[in-house]
Amino acid sequence: MDGTVVTDRTAETVGADGTAGRDALNAAAAASAAEGSRSEALRTLSRVFGYDTFRGEQQAVIDHVVDGGDAVVLMPTGGGKSLCYQIPALVRPGTGVVVSPLIALMQDQVDALRALGVRAGFINSTQDFEERRLVEAEFVAGELDILYLAPERLRMQGTLDLLSRGTVSVFAIDEAHCVAQWGHDFRPDYLALAVLGERWPDVPRIALTATATPATHREITERLGLPEARHFEASFDRPNIQYRIVGKDDPKKQLLRFLREEHEGDAGIVYCLSRNSVEKTAEFLERNGVPAVPYHAGLDGGTRARHQSRFLREEGLVVVATIAFGMGIDKPDVRFVAHLDLPKSVEGYYQETGRAGRDGLPSTAWMAYGLQDVVQQRKLIQSGEGDEAFRRRAASHLDAMLALCETVQCRRAQLLAYFGQEASGQKCGNCDTCLTAPETWDGTVAAQKVLSTVVRLQRERGQKFGTGQIVDILLGRKTAKVIQFDHDQLSVFGIGDDLSEAEWRGVVRQLLAQGLASVEGEYGTLVLTDASATVLGREREVLMRKEPKRPAGRPKSERTAKGERKQAVDLPEEALPVFEALRAWRADQSREQGVPAYVIFHDATLREIALSLPADLTQLAQLPGLGEKKLANYGEAVLKVLADHGRLEAGTALEDDSSSSGAESPSGD
Ligand code: ADP
Ligand code: ZN
């Protein structure tokens, strides 16, 4: 880091002496300085993090920020955003200040960095005065590489003054989409962050997010005051996540089947809309032998912290949560994210599903979706707070989400298109519509039947009813309610016996999704929209999605509990026992130290160790995820696990030999 400064000074001295063209020398010096910081960045990557090469845009981002430039970075979850600011923080002189919205995770983030030998700390409201003072002193003394702060801290004059007393190398604004007022995670405190650029114009700032439509992207740039920033946009594709959206009939049972068939023993997140359904679903899973805990804003802080901590520390725990859970969770081995209710926007859906598979190993984003979701969300928007403009926004967010649910095209292509990106092909091969193509059918006549029933009720009777009654009328059912209102006298009574009840509900759902009908009021009564007339007037066709009889899933051969684990880490059969031995050792370490297992080593690192079976520290040091500090802390212990395991194997092999020769000898005789 100091090399840069020295080179600059040398150039100036030489230039002032007039011994060489000053400009040329300066340019050469700048180039060599840039070269120097580049190799410094690479050295840091290998020494601290144990990785050999940068991924995707990382190198470009890091070079730019190390050189003092501002950056806006859009990179999907798991893409490697952290290194984009951690390395500049380590390479540039001073402390990197990271603004992050979730104080509950700061301790874990700091623990993970310390495990790598990085001098990290945080200041937030969970600390007592003494603890805070200690970190502040370390910062002022220049003894911290990285300091985490919550955005609300930066509203306090005291915090700004503190920062002035030390040296800040870079400001990193994580989860930068929180500044977007119309976004799903808006945090007013983020609006105050523009002050950083005004007060520290020479300190580079880097804003990072894993979700941004073009509109959010613009808001980030404007509101954080980053007009000069260079923009880096990685592909938002998460190829290891399999996207699936299934028709909802009995969601809890469907979830259980999904977990049993594909994710036995895996860690995952289940999202529900209401606190009540969170509680009920968690209980249901527990009762059925799936370890699960609830998480929502109605639980007290202690319980929430405990459940989050268990999720991070234990293997194979399921968290059932409202959207209050998950942002910033950097657990790498979340194997599935399930939605039992429809998310409010595609951005929210992408953000939530993105929490699966940060380690790049196969994972599933699974959702159950039905008519009731559409009715409920439309009702929520109508009865919710906010002005007309707010409602219009919410409705267009919902429409995009519904379009994703109802699409007969590749889900991934549609998701990427929403973020203004193109998929690499028409079909990804790893979403439900690619795996089992849904059929479409011409639903024009069915749509007309539903809509004319709505029209009849309204024109002839001045009545509005919900979907249930309309389906009963179409099916010609003489229910008590049908009799009560004389609905069997309507000319449309019984005109729909060509479809089943479920199929009619599907028709109504798709009409709602396509904006060809709408719901109204407390009871969600069905009403026409402006677009309904085009259907009734035969001006347009209505194409509908037919649910595949057998929804797509992973092939049966991959579905056993053990098979799934093996498939997730993709190991040959013979490497599995040693992998499991390493995992057991890691679990002990994690328990002893009270840190999550992935803070010790990621699955991906254990996998490499199990595959290459290093014989000594030098060989071990070559593997990804083994920086200086981890090698020093755990190197010997890992070699011992391998040696013990090897002896055990040799022992078993001997026994096998003797027993098999014993078994063979009688027949051989
Ligand atoms: P994000 O914050 O974008 O979700 P992370 O920074 O947590 O992603 O990185 C995701 C995973 O990828 C982590 O396990 C990290 O250690 C790993 N990773 C990041 N960059 C590299 C790299 N250059 N080489 C190898 N692994 C990397
Ligand atoms: Zn696809």
Side-chain angles (χ1 to χ4, degrees):
M1 57 191 92
D2 293 340
T4 320
V5 180
V6 173
T7 321
D8 270 337
R9 215 175 282 138
T10 324
E12 249 185 66
T13 325
V14 178
D17 285 344
T19 48
R22 191 188 156 117
D23 284 352
L25 257 177
N26 268 354
S32 89
E35 201 47 57
S37 59
R38 198 158 305 154
S39 48
E40 179 68 23
L42 209 54
R43 266 199 301 280
T44 307
L45 177 72
S46 143
R47 181 174 57 82
V48 177
F49 299 92
Y51 300 134
D52 289 338
T53 47
F54 284 114
R55 272 190 195 159
E57 296 274 2
Q58 279 177 334
Q59 171 102 57
V61 176
I62 291 168
D63 287 347
H64 180 69
V65 176
V66 167
D67 283 347
D70 293 337
V72 174
V73 176
L74 274 51
M75 216 182 245
T77 309
K81 281 184 291 301
S82 328
L83 288 185
C84 293
Y85 57 84
Q86 287 167 349
I87 290 191
L90 290 167
V91 172
R92 287 176 60 90
T95 306
V97 172
V98 184
V99 182
S100 157
L102 279 192
I103 58 177
L105 293 167
M106 285 185 186
Q107 183 69 60
D108 281 331
Q109 282 167 323
V110 163
D111 285 346
L113 283 169
R114 289 211 182 126
L116 294 168
V118 175
R119 301 173 303 170
F122 63 84
I123 299 180
N124 68 32
S125 52
T126 65
Q127 293 162 307
D128 62 28
F129 178 74
E130 236 349 270
E131 287 171 319
R132 197 177 317 160
R133 221 183 42 100
L134 206 70
V135 181
E136 290 179 0
E138 282 177 330
F139 168 72
V140 174
E143 288 163 3
L144 282 183
D145 299 311
I146 294 182
L147 174 65
Y148 282 87
L149 290 178
E152 52 271 23
R153 286 265 138 200
L154 290 162
R155 290 201 150 177
M156 304 176 190
Q157 194 55 40
T159 309
L160 297 176
D161 291 344
L162 169 75
L163 293 183
S164 300
R165 283 192 282 138
T167 308
V168 180
S169 56
V170 54
F171 284 109
I173 299 157
D174 207 4
E175 313 286 355
H177 63 280
C178 289
V179 79
Q181 205 132 22
W182 295 107
H184 55 102
D185 280 330
F186 175 58
R187 302 202 173 209
D189 288 316
Y190 265 68
L191 293 174
L193 296 180
V195 72
L196 299 178
E198 291 154 22
R199 205 158 152 165
W200 287 274
D202 298 331
V203 176
R205 284 174 299 148
I206 171 171
L208 311 104
T209 178
T211 167
T213 56
T216 307
H217 191 167
R218 267 197 307 280
E219 263 190 284
I220 292 174
T221 314
E222 280 165 25
R223 288 172 190 271
L224 292 177
L226 288 164
E228 310 280 314
R230 211 168 124 188
H231 291 244
F232 299 88
E233 187 173 340
S235 165
F236 272 30
D237 190 15
R238 301 284 310 279
N240 61 313
I241 298 182
Q242 182 175 96
Y243 295 99
R244 279 156 45 196
I245 301 176
V246 306
K248 190 192 274 190
D249 48 60
D250 188 342
K252 288 210 280 290
K253 281 217 183 101
Q254 288 173 287
L255 173 70
L256 188 64
R257 199 178 327 129
F258 165 66
L259 295 186
R260 285 194 172 146
E261 286 183 354
E262 300 177 39
H263 287 289
E264 190 121 36
D266 284 344
I269 308 174
V270 177
Y271 285 108
C272 304
L273 203 59
S274 72
R275 295 171 187 184
N276 184 34
S277 56
V278 163
E279 295 281 350
K280 289 218 172 98
T281 307
E283 273 166 34
F284 172 81
L285 289 179
E286 276 283 322
R287 243 193 345 269
N288 285 282
V290 179
V293 290
Y295 189 106
H296 56 72
L299 295 169
D300 64 89
T303 307
R304 284 211 306 269
R306 215 168 38 248
H307 289 177
Q308 173 171 301
S309 163
R310 278 189 58 191
F311 181 64
L312 296 176
R313 278 160 182 75
E314 289 173 23
E315 299 197 33
L317 186 68
V318 174
V319 170
V320 185
T322 56
I323 53 166
F325 180 78
M327 197 192 343
I329 292 278
D330 52 6
K331 185 177 168 63
D333 56 352
V334 176
R335 292 272 69 86
F336 67 88
V337 169
H339 282 93
L340 290 193
D341 294 302
L342 186 71
K344 291 186 171 57
S345 68
V346 177
E347 271 186 286
Y349 171 74
Y350 178 80
Q351 183 87 341
E352 284 147 25
T353 53
R355 290 169 188 144
R358 292 171 88 105
D359 53 12
L361 301 173
S363 311
T364 318
W366 180 93
M367 178 180 2
Y369 153 80
L371 169 65
Q372 221 27 52
D373 285 302
V374 193
V375 173
Q376 188 176 27
Q377 293 278 7
R378 291 255 191 254
K379 264 172 28 189
L380 273 178
I381 292 174
Q382 282 166 17
S383 62
E385 297 155 25
D387 55 12
E388 195 43 43
F390 182 84
R391 251 171 241 169
R392 258 203 312 275
R393 287 263 195 167
S396 68
H397 281 315
L398 178 60
D399 287 341
M401 189 63 224
L402 293 174
L404 178 67
C405 291
E406 302 289 359
T407 187
V408 291
Q409 315 288 330
C410 170
R411 307 256 192 221
R412 191 179 310 273
Q414 181 134 349
L415 257 179
L416 290 174
Y418 184 76
F419 292 107
Q421 297 189 341
E422 249 178 66
S424 48
Q426 289 253 306
K427 281 171 159 266
C428 74
N430 196 24
C431 74
D432 53 358
T433 60
C434 284
L435 290 170
T436 315
E439 288 169 38
T440 51
W441 60 290
D442 183 350
T444 315
V445 173
Q448 286 165 347
K449 287 180 181 173
V450 170
L451 295 176
S452 35
T453 306
V454 174
V455 170
R456 291 275 133 84
L457 282 171
Q458 202 166 351
R459 288 225 191 104
E460 294 172 16
R461 308 285 183 90
Q463 294 168 341
K464 289 176 184 172
F465 278 89
T467 308
Q469 184 74 358
I470 290 179
V471 170
D472 282 344
I473 294 171
L474 287 168
L475 290 173
R477 286 177 172 162
K478 297 201 176 184
T479 65
K481 203 164 159 188
V482 165
I483 308 272
Q484 184 194 341
F485 289 97
D486 275 346
H487 285 167
D488 51 346
Q489 301 307 313
L490 291 165
S491 59
V492 289
F493 184 75
I495 58 167
D497 55 3
D498 49 333
L499 297 181
S500 70
E501 173 171 352
E503 285 166 327
W504 278 117
R505 292 178 72 84
V507 169
V508 175
R509 188 192 78 219
Q510 298 189 58
L511 287 175
L512 288 173
Q514 296 184 32
L516 297 173
S518 181
V519 287
E520 204 178 75
E522 192 186 340
Y523 301 106
T525 53
L526 214 55
V527 293
L528 301 187
T529 64
D530 292 344
S532 306
T534 58
V535 179
L536 285 166
R538 297 188 174 79
E539 288 160 38
R540 62 173 282 178
E541 286 192 349
V542 187
L543 216 57
M544 294 205 176
R545 183 188 161 97
K546 195 184 271 174
E547 299 311 327
K549 285 258 163 349
R550 200 180 44 76
R554 290 191 195 285
K556 197 119 202 164
S557 58
E558 293 176 0
R559 277 193 197 163
T560 59
K562 212 166 165 205
E564 184 66 24
R565 166 86 48 215
K566 179 183 150 207
Q567 187 227 356
V569 294
D570 190 21
L571 274 173
E573 199 74 50
E574 61 275 15
L576 272 177
V578 67
F579 178 74
E580 291 302 336
L582 287 162
R583 269 164 54 95
W585 165 81
R586 182 181 65 177
D588 287 343
Q589 285 298 317
S590 132
R591 220 170 303 119
E592 261 171 46
Q593 300 180 37
V595 296
Y598 61 82
V599 168
I600 317 268
F601 283 124
H602 284 185
D603 278 357
T605 299
L606 295 191
R607 175 183 180 276
E608 287 299 321
I609 299 175
L611 275 178
S612 58
L613 299 174
D616 54 32
L617 288 177
T618 318
Q619 288 180 13
L620 186 60
Q622 306 302 313
L623 303 180
L626 276 134
E628 267 175 9
K629 175 89 177 209
K630 292 213 168 157
L631 195 67
N633 279 357
Y634 306 121
E636 295 290 353
V638 166
L639 292 177
K640 182 162 183 304
V641 173
L642 297 182
D644 289 351
H645 185 78
R647 260 194 298 282
L648 204 71
E649 289 261 280
T652 340
L654 276 180
E655 273 169 35
D656 279 357
D657 278 355
S658 56
S659 69
S660 66
S661 59
E664 262 169 26
S665 53
S667 60
D669 276 344

